[in-house]
Amino acid sequence: MPELRPVHGGTDSLPQPRHDFSSNANPLGPCPAVLAAIRRADLTRYPDPMYTQLRGRLGEFHQVSPERIVVGAGASELILRLIRRSSGTIRQLVPTFSEYARGAHLMRRRVSSVHSPRAFLRAQERDPGLGFLCWPNNPTGDAWPLEFIAAAAAGPLVVDLAYAPLCEGSAAAGIERAAARAYRLYSPNKAFGLTGVRGAYLIAPRIERHLALDAPSWVIGRDAVALLESGAGRPAQRWLEQSLPRVRRWRTGLAGSLRDMGLTVSEGPATFLLVRVGEATRIAAGLRGRGIRVRDCTSFGLPEWLRLSAQGPAAQKALLAVLKALL
Ligand SMILES: Cc1ncc(COP(=O)(O)O)c(C=O)c1O
């Protein structure tokens, strides 16, 4: 029986750590404009079961028909729904986000894991099924070439863009166009530092009413409606844009300090990086015992690596001191 228990970074059952490098959410969040909209949300009433106004707003934001937009209780819920509505093999380019394989196991579907874009395209040609590509990839930060994404989108494909809004602008330019023929998955709670609000959406390549209907009624609450609607607004987008240079400086600074310690670092255009520490589980446990949470990448098949998100100078100083002692 495959492992169905979710294995994620972020929250665990221990007390909140002093410094959290395990979550990839925007470290400068929560975004004030989005938080204010959530606080204004009237939680005494059900949301509109069709989410008409919200889908209209998101359609305008992405310049697509609102009828192609499907909202869900987080990208994880939408991943499960997409798998349930598809047929055949579930394909992934590993190492990657665990929910694609977990969803496949829950739905008793075959999982095909490949290790390179070329192998992905070859396998897709033989057996289309449904492919998942994460851009930029969690945990490696790989921003797959846009030509590869466009070629893969010729078959049934989901492009998970959870961290795309947190990427350097030049890297992110063009991904929407490259993925235009795929299901595009958006999870704005990360960019706005509000992962506790369970709301996300997808843009389907064509109108598919069954996808929106294959969920419990009122699948997202008014707090999530407020997050998604205000997240597409000018104040939230401006805040996000302004936050990124600082977060990027934190990431490159952290990468530099780790390299100065003689460690191998792998960086992409997103706000997190990978560092090779040897026994990742032991090091992660040692850090956790000293109030610092990191993501042990063993469950991704990378037992020597930790994933670290960009955090501020005080958090970095604490991390580097404990890491030096543990190594
Ligand atoms: C790549 C990726 N996609 C989707 C998700 C899940 O997002 P949500 O919080 O919207 O369920 C995560 C969460 O870690 C993720 O890393």
Side-chain angles (χ1 to χ4, degrees), residues 185-210:
L185 200 49
Y186 299 88
S187 179
N189 62 18
K190 285 150 203 53
F192 298 122
L194 284 156
T195 50
V197 183
R198 308 303 302 144
Y201 59 98
L202 65 79
I203 301 178
R206 64 199 80 77
I207 298 169
E208 289 184 40
R209 294 218 164 76
H210 60 264

Side-chain angles (χ1 to χ4, degrees), residues 268-287:
T271 51
F272 50 90
L273 55 78
L274 286 181
V275 59
R276 188 176 211 153
V277 292
E279 298 165 90
T281 303
R282 179 181 70 81
I283 302 291
L287 286 163

Side-chain angles (χ1 to χ4, degrees), residues 150-320:
L157 183 74
V158 180
V159 181
D160 183 341
L161 297 168
Y163 300 109
L166 287 163
C167 279
E168 290 152 24
S170 58
I175 182 60
E176 305 262 336
R177 215 169 326 112
R181 284 200 288 172
Y183 294 92
R184 283 177 274 160
L185 200 49
Y186 299 88
S187 179
N189 62 18
K190 285 150 203 53
F192 298 122
L194 284 156
T195 50
V197 183
R198 308 303 302 144
Y201 59 98
L202 65 79
I203 301 178
R206 64 199 80 77
I207 298 169
E208 289 184 40
R209 294 218 164 76
H210 60 264
L211 253 184
L213 298 175
D214 188 19
S217 298
W218 308 287
V219 65
I220 70 171
R222 282 174 173 260
D223 56 342
V225 171
L227 175 139
L228 297 177
E229 218 168 283
S230 64
R234 286 274 298 149
Q237 288 297 317
R238 215 173 22 244
W239 175 87
L240 175 59
E241 215 173 283
Q242 286 169 359
S243 74
L244 291 184
R246 191 145 144 229
V247 181
R248 199 164 307 135
R249 272 198 306 279
W250 288 351
R251 188 203 74 212
T252 51
L254 177 61
S257 304
L258 293 165
R259 288 190 179 112
D260 288 347
M261 286 171 63
L263 298 171
T264 304
V265 174
S266 171
E267 263 181 293
T271 51
F272 50 90
L273 55 78
L274 286 181
V275 59
R276 188 176 211 153
V277 292
E279 298 165 90
T281 303
R282 179 181 70 81
I283 302 291
L287 286 163
R288 189 68 182 90
R290 289 171 173 83
I292 299 170
R293 188 157 55 199
V294 297
R295 177 67 158 95
D296 168 9
C297 288
T298 301
S299 67
F300 288 110
L302 302 171
E304 296 188 357
W305 297 79
L306 299 178
R307 192 192 66 204
L308 304 175
S309 58
Q311 300 294 326
Q316 288 196 26
K317 197 168 158 208
L319 170 81
L320 294 167

Side-chain angles (χ1 to χ4, degrees), residues 1-5 79-80 83-84 88 90 92 98-113:
M1 181 70 178
E3 180 60 91
L4 295 179
R5 200 165 35 123
I79 289 166
L80 211 60
I83 293 173
R84 191 166 54 226
I90 301 303
Q92 57 176 357
S98 56
E99 287 290 313
Y100 316 137
R102 183 168 170 271
H105 292 316
L106 282 170
M107 300 291 156
R108 309 272 192 274
R109 302 282 285 284
R110 196 176 90 81
V111 181
S112 155
S113 299

